[in-house]
Amino acid sequence: MSPTRLLRILFWVGWAVWFFVSGLLVLAMTPLGDWQFEEGILHLTWQFLLFWTVLFWAYTFVFRFRRSTAAIMRIGKAIIGLPQRVVKTAKANPLFFITWAVLLVGWQLMSYIAPKGTLEHPLVPGFDYIIYNALYRLSGNWDLFGGFTVAGLPLQFGALAPFPAIDGPESRTWTAVFLALGFHSVMTLSRLITGLGVGLIAGLATGLALPYWSALRQISWAPFNFLRMIPLLAAIPWMQFALGVDLRATTLFIGFGVWVMLVVATMNAVANVPDRYIESARTLGASRLRTYLKVIVPGAMPELRTALLLAGGLGWSLTIAAEFLGFPTGLGFMAASAVQETNTARLVIVAIVVAFYSLLTFYLLNQMFNRMVSWMPQRTSGETDISKVAGAAGAASRAEAQLHE
């Protein structure tokens, strides 16, 4: 192992350890803050979390000062240049923004035209109702108020914001709203990341291992295609009955769905690797195993981009569906509660939040894929210069005419 790689590993391990050490240092600063111990329970405040965050990120400035300052500069320039980028994007693709503007204005107009009905909540809520009624009422839905235990230390979060279930509806605050969205988002993301990670690793490993043995590939092809046809949403009640309602159940459920889909896609990608790659490697004396690992596996990666993005979308669908039918927390639980109350406004909020996280998931999976195929030559421009192509074609035709003459 090279010294550079060893130092990089030590940096990340040290940062993980520093996460807990910095928290202990903040605890030692109790006289300086408004957090306190009470009967063995630590009551956290925003001041405590701020000090902990500052100490945690100070680690990077001590050991990687130049990279940290450069990252801050890049983030600052990106924030400052955001309006200019939006204007540039709007000029390049105006129909995209026009379409969204028409949809948003149309929804607001429909909220005025649609009948109110006899339900508590309007079926087509306007944006004023979504923001100041449905969203504001989420302030009572953050279960962090009950706290949890870390390494034997009970933590309480009641000091972060008033809890309307105890202090009354008049104590609602926007801070509690974001705590509620953050809490349920963390619960959903933890289930998604665990299940999606298991499914991606198992799917890629199985899909790359099976084609190496021809007989095993032929035997497993039909069963995997059959498993892919099973309606996973119909299997949720069985999952709850057999595995219960916990992280293990969602991990197996999401992992199974992603695994089956990704195995078939990976086997297809391996089968579509051009034969000339394999023939060239074997001609140069590469063994069968080396040809598979060094030629076929890398050659199959470019075709897996769509499969990875589909796996991310499928993971989100399975996570929300699993939470929808049995979990007491998460974005799926919020959607289920909204359906029971016929609260369309809250469904709109959940849909917007899930759409944002889905786009973020697609972006991260795409970045991971780009690292996997970093060996591929990249185009320097997203557009083809037609004039150069036409010029080259014209020069070629003129040269051919001269030869005939």
Side-chain angles (χ1 to χ4, degrees), residues 371-400:
R371 286 183 175 272
M372 293 169 61
V373 295
S374 58
W375 52 269
M376 291 182 60
Q378 301 294 325
R379 295 179 60 181
T380 57
S381 176
E383 299 179 356
T384 302
D385 193 339
I386 301 299
S387 61
K388 292 182 179 180
V389 176
S397 62
R398 287 192 299 270
E400 185 178 358

PDB file of all heavy atoms in Angstrom, residues 371-400:
ATOM      1  N   ARG A 371     -17.552   7.256 -11.940  1.00  0.00           N
ATOM      2  CA  ARG A 371     -16.288   6.793 -11.363  1.00  0.00           C
ATOM      3  C   ARG A 371     -15.974   5.369 -11.816  1.00  0.00           C
ATOM      4  O   ARG A 371     -14.807   5.018 -12.024  1.00  0.00           O
ATOM      5  CB  ARG A 371     -16.347   6.857  -9.840  1.00  0.00           C
ATOM      6  CG  ARG A 371     -16.265   8.267  -9.281  1.00  0.00           C
ATOM      7  CD  ARG A 371     -16.263   8.259  -7.756  1.00  0.00           C
ATOM      8  NE  ARG A 371     -16.079   9.590  -7.210  1.00  0.00           N
ATOM      9  CZ  ARG A 371     -14.896  10.145  -6.974  1.00  0.00           C
ATOM     10  NH1 ARG A 371     -13.791   9.460  -7.223  1.00  0.00           N
ATOM     11  NH2 ARG A 371     -14.795  11.351  -6.478  1.00  0.00           N
ATOM     12  N   MET A 372     -17.011   4.551 -11.940  1.00  0.00           N
ATOM     13  CA  MET A 372     -16.799   3.169 -12.362  1.00  0.00           C
ATOM     14  C   MET A 372     -16.302   3.081 -13.809  1.00  0.00           C
ATOM     15  O   MET A 372     -15.587   2.137 -14.163  1.00  0.00           O
ATOM     16  CB  MET A 372     -18.102   2.375 -12.213  1.00  0.00           C
ATOM     17  CG  MET A 372     -18.556   2.193 -10.773  1.00  0.00           C
ATOM     18  SD  MET A 372     -20.236   1.523 -10.656  1.00  0.00           S
ATOM     19  CE  MET A 372     -20.042  -0.055 -11.481  1.00  0.00           C
ATOM     20  N   VAL A 373     -16.672   4.055 -14.649  1.00  0.00           N
ATOM     21  CA  VAL A 373     -16.274   4.027 -16.060  1.00  0.00           C
ATOM     22  C   VAL A 373     -15.403   5.237 -16.386  1.00  0.00           C
ATOM     23  O   VAL A 373     -15.477   5.787 -17.488  1.00  0.00           O
ATOM     24  CB  VAL A 373     -17.514   3.989 -16.980  1.00  0.00           C
ATOM     25  CG1 VAL A 373     -18.290   2.711 -16.793  1.00  0.00           C
ATOM     26  CG2 VAL A 373     -18.421   5.193 -16.713  1.00  0.00           C
ATOM     27  N   SER A 374     -14.567   5.646 -15.431  1.00  0.00           N
ATOM     28  CA  SER A 374     -13.690   6.799 -15.666  1.00  0.00           C
ATOM     29  C   SER A 374     -12.664   6.529 -16.760  1.00  0.00           C
ATOM     30  O   SER A 374     -12.060   7.459 -17.291  1.00  0.00           O
ATOM     31  CB  SER A 374     -12.973   7.170 -14.366  1.00  0.00           C
ATOM     32  OG  SER A 374     -12.230   6.067 -13.876  1.00  0.00           O
ATOM     33  N   TRP A 375     -12.460   5.249 -17.108  1.00  0.00           N
ATOM     34  CA  TRP A 375     -11.501   4.892 -18.161  1.00  0.00           C
ATOM     35  C   TRP A 375     -12.022   5.216 -19.553  1.00  0.00           C
ATOM     36  O   TRP A 375     -11.258   5.252 -20.525  1.00  0.00           O
ATOM     37  CB  TRP A 375     -11.196   3.395 -18.090  1.00  0.00           C
ATOM     38  CG  TRP A 375     -12.436   2.537 -18.093  1.00  0.00           C
ATOM     39  CD1 TRP A 375     -13.130   2.108 -17.001  1.00  0.00           C
ATOM     40  CD2 TRP A 375     -13.121   2.023 -19.237  1.00  0.00           C
ATOM     41  NE1 TRP A 375     -14.211   1.354 -17.394  1.00  0.00           N
ATOM     42  CE2 TRP A 375     -14.235   1.284 -18.769  1.00  0.00           C
ATOM     43  CE3 TRP A 375     -12.908   2.101 -20.606  1.00  0.00           C
ATOM     44  CZ2 TRP A 375     -15.116   0.638 -19.614  1.00  0.00           C
ATOM     45  CZ3 TRP A 375     -13.794   1.457 -21.455  1.00  0.00           C
ATOM     46  CH2 TRP A 375     -14.881   0.734 -20.957  1.00  0.00           C
ATOM     47  N   MET A 376     -13.345   5.444 -19.670  1.00  0.00           N
ATOM     48  CA  MET A 376     -13.917   5.692 -20.991  1.00  0.00           C
ATOM     49  C   MET A 376     -13.532   7.079 -21.482  1.00  0.00           C
ATOM     50  O   MET A 376     -13.489   8.038 -20.710  1.00  0.00           O
ATOM     51  CB  MET A 376     -15.448   5.588 -20.947  1.00  0.00           C
ATOM     52  CG  MET A 376     -15.993   4.203 -20.715  1.00  0.00           C
ATOM     53  SD  MET A 376     -17.802   4.206 -20.735  1.00  0.00           S
ATOM     54  CE  MET A 376     -18.120   4.817 -22.395  1.00  0.00           C
ATOM     55  N   PRO A 377     -13.244   7.251 -22.785  1.00  0.00           N
ATOM     56  CA  PRO A 377     -12.966   8.590 -23.324  1.00  0.00           C
ATOM     57  C   PRO A 377     -14.220   9.448 -23.266  1.00  0.00           C
ATOM     58  O   PRO A 377     -15.314   8.990 -23.584  1.00  0.00           O
ATOM     59  CB  PRO A 377     -12.535   8.313 -24.772  1.00  0.00           C
ATOM     60  CG  PRO A 377     -13.138   6.984 -25.106  1.00  0.00           C
ATOM     61  CD  PRO A 377     -13.152   6.202 -23.827  1.00  0.00           C
ATOM     62  N   GLN A 378     -14.060  10.698 -22.825  1.00  0.00           N
ATOM     63  CA  GLN A 378     -15.184  11.611 -22.681  1.00  0.00           C
ATOM     64  C   GLN A 378     -15.203  12.595 -23.846  1.00  0.00           C
ATOM     65  O   GLN A 378     -14.149  13.046 -24.322  1.00  0.00           O
ATOM     66  CB  GLN A 378     -15.080  12.393 -21.354  1.00  0.00           C
ATOM     67  CG  GLN A 378     -15.054  11.499 -20.134  1.00  0.00           C
ATOM     68  CD  GLN A 378     -16.360  10.760 -19.928  1.00  0.00           C
ATOM     69  OE1 GLN A 378     -17.429  11.293 -20.216  1.00  0.00           O
ATOM     70  NE2 GLN A 378     -16.269   9.531 -19.441  1.00  0.00           N
ATOM     71  N   ARG A 379     -16.413  12.928 -24.277  1.00  0.00           N
ATOM     72  CA  ARG A 379     -16.557  13.937 -25.326  1.00  0.00           C
ATOM     73  C   ARG A 379     -16.278  15.311 -24.755  1.00  0.00           C
ATOM     74  O   ARG A 379     -16.689  15.641 -23.648  1.00  0.00           O
ATOM     75  CB  ARG A 379     -17.961  13.904 -25.918  1.00  0.00           C
ATOM     76  CG  ARG A 379     -18.265  12.613 -26.654  1.00  0.00           C
ATOM     77  CD  ARG A 379     -19.680  12.638 -27.198  1.00  0.00           C
ATOM     78  NE  ARG A 379     -19.888  13.737 -28.116  1.00  0.00           N
ATOM     79  CZ  ARG A 379     -21.051  13.981 -28.715  1.00  0.00           C
ATOM     80  NH1 ARG A 379     -22.088  13.210 -28.484  1.00  0.00           N
ATOM     81  NH2 ARG A 379     -21.175  14.995 -29.542  1.00  0.00           N
ATOM     82  N   THR A 380     -15.561  16.134 -25.490  1.00  0.00           N
ATOM     83  CA  THR A 380     -15.217  17.475 -25.010  1.00  0.00           C
ATOM     84  C   THR A 380     -16.379  18.434 -25.131  1.00  0.00           C
ATOM     85  O   THR A 380     -16.410  19.467 -24.496  1.00  0.00           O
ATOM     86  CB  THR A 380     -14.020  18.031 -25.806  1.00  0.00           C
ATOM     87  OG1 THR A 380     -14.340  18.029 -27.203  1.00  0.00           O
ATOM     88  CG2 THR A 380     -12.785  17.149 -25.589  1.00  0.00           C
ATOM     89  N   SER A 381     -17.369  18.093 -25.908  1.00  0.00           N
ATOM     90  CA  SER A 381     -18.521  18.978 -26.090  1.00  0.00           C
ATOM     91  C   SER A 381     -19.772  18.142 -26.206  1.00  0.00           C
ATOM     92  O   SER A 381     -19.759  17.038 -26.740  1.00  0.00           O
ATOM     93  CB  SER A 381     -18.351  19.843 -27.344  1.00  0.00           C
ATOM     94  OG  SER A 381     -19.509  20.627 -27.564  1.00  0.00           O
ATOM     95  N   GLY A 382     -20.856  18.675 -25.684  1.00  0.00           N
ATOM     96  CA  GLY A 382     -22.106  17.947 -25.758  1.00  0.00           C
ATOM     97  C   GLY A 382     -22.791  18.033 -27.108  1.00  0.00           C
ATOM     98  O   GLY A 382     -23.766  17.348 -27.360  1.00  0.00           O
ATOM     99  N   GLU A 383     -22.302  18.908 -28.007  1.00  0.00           N
ATOM    100  CA  GLU A 383     -22.929  19.088 -29.304  1.00  0.00           C
ATOM    101  C   GLU A 383     -21.919  18.815 -30.420  1.00  0.00           C
ATOM    102  O   GLU A 383     -20.721  19.035 -30.265  1.00  0.00           O
ATOM    103  CB  GLU A 383     -23.491  20.512 -29.440  1.00  0.00           C
ATOM    104  CG  GLU A 383     -24.566  20.831 -28.398  1.00  0.00           C
ATOM    105  CD  GLU A 383     -25.065  22.244 -28.555  1.00  0.00           C
ATOM    106  OE1 GLU A 383     -24.520  22.974 -29.409  1.00  0.00           O
ATOM    107  OE2 GLU A 383     -26.000  22.619 -27.836  1.00  0.00           O
ATOM    108  N   THR A 384     -22.408  18.346 -31.540  1.00  0.00           N
ATOM    109  CA  THR A 384     -21.564  18.087 -32.700  1.00  0.00           C
ATOM    110  C   THR A 384     -21.533  19.322 -33.592  1.00  0.00           C
ATOM    111  O   THR A 384     -22.585  19.902 -33.895  1.00  0.00           O
ATOM    112  CB  THR A 384     -22.107  16.887 -33.495  1.00  0.00           C
ATOM    113  OG1 THR A 384     -22.164  15.758 -32.623  1.00  0.00           O
ATOM    114  CG2 THR A 384     -21.219  16.571 -34.681  1.00  0.00           C
ATOM    115  N   ASP A 385     -20.330  19.702 -33.963  1.00  0.00           N
ATOM    116  CA  ASP A 385     -20.179  20.852 -34.856  1.00  0.00           C
ATOM    117  C   ASP A 385     -20.470  20.395 -36.285  1.00  0.00           C
ATOM    118  O   ASP A 385     -19.623  19.785 -36.946  1.00  0.00           O
ATOM    119  CB  ASP A 385     -18.762  21.415 -34.744  1.00  0.00           C
ATOM    120  CG  ASP A 385     -18.643  22.784 -35.409  1.00  0.00           C
ATOM    121  OD1 ASP A 385     -19.496  23.092 -36.275  1.00  0.00           O
ATOM    122  OD2 ASP A 385     -17.711  23.530 -35.056  1.00  0.00           O
ATOM    123  N   ILE A 386     -21.672  20.702 -36.781  1.00  0.00           N
ATOM    124  CA  ILE A 386     -22.093  20.232 -38.095  1.00  0.00           C
ATOM    125  C   ILE A 386     -21.222  20.815 -39.197  1.00  0.00           C
ATOM    126  O   ILE A 386     -20.927  20.160 -40.204  1.00  0.00           O
ATOM    127  CB  ILE A 386     -23.573  20.583 -38.348  1.00  0.00           C
ATOM    128  CG1 ILE A 386     -24.449  19.939 -37.262  1.00  0.00           C
ATOM    129  CG2 ILE A 386     -24.018  20.111 -39.720  1.00  0.00           C
ATOM    130  CD1 ILE A 386     -24.366  18.435 -37.232  1.00  0.00           C
ATOM    131  N   SER A 387     -20.769  22.061 -39.019  1.00  0.00           N
ATOM    132  CA  SER A 387     -19.960  22.690 -40.065  1.00  0.00           C
ATOM    133  C   SER A 387     -18.641  21.952 -40.256  1.00  0.00           C
ATOM    134  O   SER A 387     -18.167  21.782 -41.391  1.00  0.00           O
ATOM    135  CB  SER A 387     -19.692  24.160 -39.700  1.00  0.00           C
ATOM    136  OG  SER A 387     -18.975  24.233 -38.466  1.00  0.00           O
ATOM    137  N   LYS A 388     -18.040  21.486 -39.139  1.00  0.00           N
ATOM    138  CA  LYS A 388     -16.785  20.749 -39.256  1.00  0.00           C
ATOM    139  C   LYS A 388     -17.018  19.409 -39.917  1.00  0.00           C
ATOM    140  O   LYS A 388     -16.217  18.955 -40.747  1.00  0.00           O
ATOM    141  CB  LYS A 388     -16.154  20.557 -37.876  1.00  0.00           C
ATOM    142  CG  LYS A 388     -15.653  21.848 -37.252  1.00  0.00           C
ATOM    143  CD  LYS A 388     -15.003  21.570 -35.905  1.00  0.00           C
ATOM    144  CE  LYS A 388     -14.484  22.860 -35.272  1.00  0.00           C
ATOM    145  NZ  LYS A 388     -13.850  22.611 -33.963  1.00  0.00           N
ATOM    146  N   VAL A 389     -18.128  18.754 -39.551  1.00  0.00           N
ATOM    147  CA  VAL A 389     -18.432  17.465 -40.167  1.00  0.00           C
ATOM    148  C   VAL A 389     -18.660  17.635 -41.662  1.00  0.00           C
ATOM    149  O   VAL A 389     -18.146  16.877 -42.488  1.00  0.00           O
ATOM    150  CB  VAL A 389     -19.653  16.821 -39.488  1.00  0.00           C
ATOM    151  CG1 VAL A 389     -20.032  15.536 -40.202  1.00  0.00           C
ATOM    152  CG2 VAL A 389     -19.356  16.556 -38.021  1.00  0.00           C
ATOM    153  N   ALA A 390     -19.454  18.647 -42.005  1.00  0.00           N
ATOM    154  CA  ALA A 390     -19.734  18.903 -43.421  1.00  0.00           C
ATOM    155  C   ALA A 390     -18.460  19.275 -44.164  1.00  0.00           C
ATOM    156  O   ALA A 390     -18.232  18.859 -45.300  1.00  0.00           O
ATOM    157  CB  ALA A 390     -20.779  20.008 -43.551  1.00  0.00           C
ATOM    158  N   GLY A 391     -17.598  20.074 -43.523  1.00  0.00           N
ATOM    159  CA  GLY A 391     -16.339  20.460 -44.151  1.00  0.00           C
ATOM    160  C   GLY A 391     -15.442  19.273 -44.403  1.00  0.00           C
ATOM    161  O   GLY A 391     -14.807  19.143 -45.466  1.00  0.00           O
ATOM    162  N   ALA A 392     -15.378  18.356 -43.399  1.00  0.00           N
ATOM    163  CA  ALA A 392     -14.558  17.160 -43.571  1.00  0.00           C
ATOM    164  C   ALA A 392     -15.102  16.286 -44.686  1.00  0.00           C
ATOM    165  O   ALA A 392     -14.344  15.735 -45.502  1.00  0.00           O
ATOM    166  CB  ALA A 392     -14.514  16.382 -42.248  1.00  0.00           C
ATOM    167  N   ALA A 393     -16.428  16.174 -44.758  1.00  0.00           N
ATOM    168  CA  ALA A 393     -17.029  15.363 -45.820  1.00  0.00           C
ATOM    169  C   ALA A 393     -16.759  15.990 -47.182  1.00  0.00           C
ATOM    170  O   ALA A 393     -16.463  15.290 -48.177  1.00  0.00           O
ATOM    171  CB  ALA A 393     -18.533  15.217 -45.577  1.00  0.00           C
ATOM    172  N   GLY A 394     -16.841  17.313 -47.252  1.00  0.00           N
ATOM    173  CA  GLY A 394     -16.570  17.973 -48.520  1.00  0.00           C
ATOM    174  C   GLY A 394     -15.128  17.814 -48.966  1.00  0.00           C
ATOM    175  O   GLY A 394     -14.840  17.590 -50.150  1.00  0.00           O
ATOM    176  N   ALA A 395     -14.196  17.918 -48.006  1.00  0.00           N
ATOM    177  CA  ALA A 395     -12.782  17.743 -48.343  1.00  0.00           C
ATOM    178  C   ALA A 395     -12.514  16.333 -48.837  1.00  0.00           C
ATOM    179  O   ALA A 395     -11.735  16.121 -49.780  1.00  0.00           O
ATOM    180  CB  ALA A 395     -11.920  18.051 -47.109  1.00  0.00           C
ATOM    181  N   ALA A 396     -13.169  15.343 -48.200  1.00  0.00           N
ATOM    182  CA  ALA A 396     -12.983  13.954 -48.617  1.00  0.00           C
ATOM    183  C   ALA A 396     -13.509  13.733 -50.032  1.00  0.00           C
ATOM    184  O   ALA A 396     -12.881  13.044 -50.851  1.00  0.00           O
ATOM    185  CB  ALA A 396     -13.686  13.013 -47.640  1.00  0.00           C
ATOM    186  N   SER A 397     -14.674  14.317 -50.349  1.00  0.00           N
ATOM    187  CA  SER A 397     -15.241  14.141 -51.690  1.00  0.00           C
ATOM    188  C   SER A 397     -14.365  14.814 -52.740  1.00  0.00           C
ATOM    189  O   SER A 397     -14.181  14.297 -53.852  1.00  0.00           O
ATOM    190  CB  SER A 397     -16.663  14.704 -51.742  1.00  0.00           C
ATOM    191  OG  SER A 397     -16.659  16.095 -51.470  1.00  0.00           O
ATOM    192  N   ARG A 398     -13.789  15.983 -52.433  1.00  0.00           N
ATOM    193  CA  ARG A 398     -12.914  16.665 -53.375  1.00  0.00           C
ATOM    194  C   ARG A 398     -11.641  15.865 -53.632  1.00  0.00           C
ATOM    195  O   ARG A 398     -11.154  15.774 -54.769  1.00  0.00           O
ATOM    196  CB  ARG A 398     -12.575  18.071 -52.860  1.00  0.00           C
ATOM    197  CG  ARG A 398     -13.741  19.050 -52.955  1.00  0.00           C
ATOM    198  CD  ARG A 398     -13.272  20.483 -52.723  1.00  0.00           C
ATOM    199  NE  ARG A 398     -12.682  20.655 -51.397  1.00  0.00           N
ATOM    200  CZ  ARG A 398     -13.390  21.003 -50.323  1.00  0.00           C
ATOM    201  NH1 ARG A 398     -14.719  21.195 -50.428  1.00  0.00           N
ATOM    202  NH2 ARG A 398     -12.813  21.164 -49.163  1.00  0.00           N
ATOM    203  N   ALA A 399     -11.098  15.275 -52.540  1.00  0.00           N
ATOM    204  CA  ALA A 399      -9.895  14.458 -52.704  1.00  0.00           C
ATOM    205  C   ALA A 399     -10.174  13.245 -53.579  1.00  0.00           C
ATOM    206  O   ALA A 399      -9.347  12.860 -54.427  1.00  0.00           O
ATOM    207  CB  ALA A 399      -9.365  14.025 -51.335  1.00  0.00           C
ATOM    208  N   GLU A 400     -11.350  12.644 -53.376  1.00  0.00           N
ATOM    209  CA  GLU A 400     -11.717  11.473 -54.191  1.00  0.00           C
ATOM    210  C   GLU A 400     -11.874  11.863 -55.653  1.00  0.00           C
ATOM    211  O   GLU A 400     -11.488  11.125 -56.564  1.00  0.00           O
ATOM    212  CB  GLU A 400     -13.014  10.855 -53.651  1.00  0.00           C
ATOM    213  CG  GLU A 400     -13.405   9.575 -54.358  1.00  0.00           C
ATOM    214  CD  GLU A 400     -14.662   8.976 -53.762  1.00  0.00           C
ATOM    215  OE1 GLU A 400     -15.188   9.548 -52.767  1.00  0.00           O
ATOM    216  OE2 GLU A 400     -15.122   7.951 -54.285  1.00  0.00           O
TER     217      GLU A 400
END
